[in-house]
Amino acid sequence: MIREKNALSIFASKNDRREGRRVIIATQVIEQSLDLDFDIMFTDLAPIDLMLQRAGRLWRKPRAKRPFGEPSLYVAGLGERLIDFGKPLWWGAVYREDVLIKTWALLKRTGSIRLPSDIDAMVQAVYGYEAGILDVMTEAERKRYETAESECCGELSAMRCSARNSTIGKPDDGSWEAPSSLTLLDEDAAGIHQ
C-alpha cells in the first residue's frame, strides 16, 4: 500500500507538477488498476493484451513538457531470433508459450502501435483462429509455435479432465484437509451429487 501511494504520488496521470527524472521498477501490477502516466517504458515480453495494457500507461495525459518526442515502449528480446522463454528468462513459467511466440512474432514485425485503433487487430492476430501472424512467421518460428500450442492444448485438456473429476466438499465437513477425496468420481462414491 505504501509503495502504491508513492508510485501514485510521482507517476499519477493527474500529477501536473512532475519534476526531474524518475524510474520505477514494477511487476505486472503496473499494467492494470493504477492510473499512472509514463514518458517511456522498458518491459519484458508478455501476451499482446498485457503489452497493450502496459503501453496504455504511456502519455496518458497531455503535458506541456515531455523529455521525449513521442511515447516509447521498448520490449526485451524483440531484436533476437526466436528466443527461449524458459530459463533464465522464465517468461514461459508465467505466460503460455504459444501466446508469447505469436506476440513476439507480431511485435517483431510491427514498427509502431497506435492506441486505441490497433488494439483489436493485434489481439485478433495473437488470439484469433485465422492464420494471420502464422502466415508471416518463418518456418522455424511456425514449428516452434505449433509445438508450444500442442503442448498447451495437452496441458489444458489434462486440467479440464482433472477439474471434471474433482469434487469439492462442504465448507464445514473437513474434506478440504483430505486431498484424496477431491478426485472421487461419481461411480466411486454414491451420493457425491444429490
Side-chain angles (χ1 to χ4, degrees):
M1 188 62 126
I2 293 171
R3 289 181 181 156
E4 184 176 315
K5 284 182 182 179
N6 287 339
L8 286 168
S9 71
I10 297 169
F11 297 105
S13 66
K14 63 184 176 191
N15 182 352
D16 287 328
R17 291 179 274 141
R18 186 182 306 164
E19 295 178 9
R21 295 176 185 216
R22 307 273 193 229
V23 174
I24 187 168
I25 299 172
T27 62
Q28 296 93 323
V29 74
I30 209 84
E31 72 200 19
Q32 297 179 21
S33 74
L34 296 177
D35 184 19
L36 302 175
D37 176 50
F38 301 111
D39 297 315
I40 189 170
M41 185 181 295
F42 296 85
T43 182
D44 284 332
L45 185 67
I48 191 64
D49 48 328
L50 302 181
M51 298 299 297
L52 295 170
Q53 279 285 110
R54 293 173 192 181
R57 300 295 179 256
L58 292 166
W59 289 37
R60 286 183 78 127
K61 182 178 179 182
R63 294 188 187 281
K65 185 178 176 186
R66 296 260 186 190
F68 302 98
E70 62 185 5
S72 298
L73 176 71
Y74 294 91
V75 182
L78 291 184
E80 307 289 326
R81 63 185 191 285
L82 190 54
I83 54 180
D84 182 6
F85 301 121
K87 295 178 185 177
L89 299 173
W90 297 103
W91 297 342
V94 179
Y95 306 114
R96 285 179 34 186
E97 186 167 322
D98 58 328
V99 174
L100 284 175
I101 292 169
K102 284 178 87 173
T103 299
W104 175 87
L106 176 65
L107 291 176
K108 188 172 173 74
R109 291 161 177 81
T110 302
S112 64
I113 300 171
R114 295 184 102 17
L115 296 179
S117 60
D118 291 346
I119 292 173
D120 188 54
M122 294 183 88
V123 170
Q124 288 300 321
V126 172
Y127 290 105
Y129 293 106
E130 296 136 18
I133 192 65
L134 297 179
D135 291 339
V136 296
M137 283 185 177
T138 66
E139 185 62 34
E141 292 167 355
R142 193 176 305 111
K143 186 173 183 177
R144 172 92 179 271
Y145 166 76
E146 289 168 354
T147 300
E149 182 186 41
S150 177
E151 289 173 3
C152 181
C153 287
E155 290 172 14
L156 287 174
S157 179
M159 285 189 262
R160 284 187 187 113
C161 184
S162 177
R164 275 189 224 106
N165 295 329
S166 295
T167 60
I168 299 175
K170 296 177 183 170
D172 59 354
D173 71 0
S175 64
W176 301 102
E177 297 176 21
S180 61
S181 68
L182 297 178
T183 57
L184 292 175
L185 300 176
D186 287 338
E187 309 84 58
D188 295 335
I192 288 179
H193 300 288
Q194 292 180 352

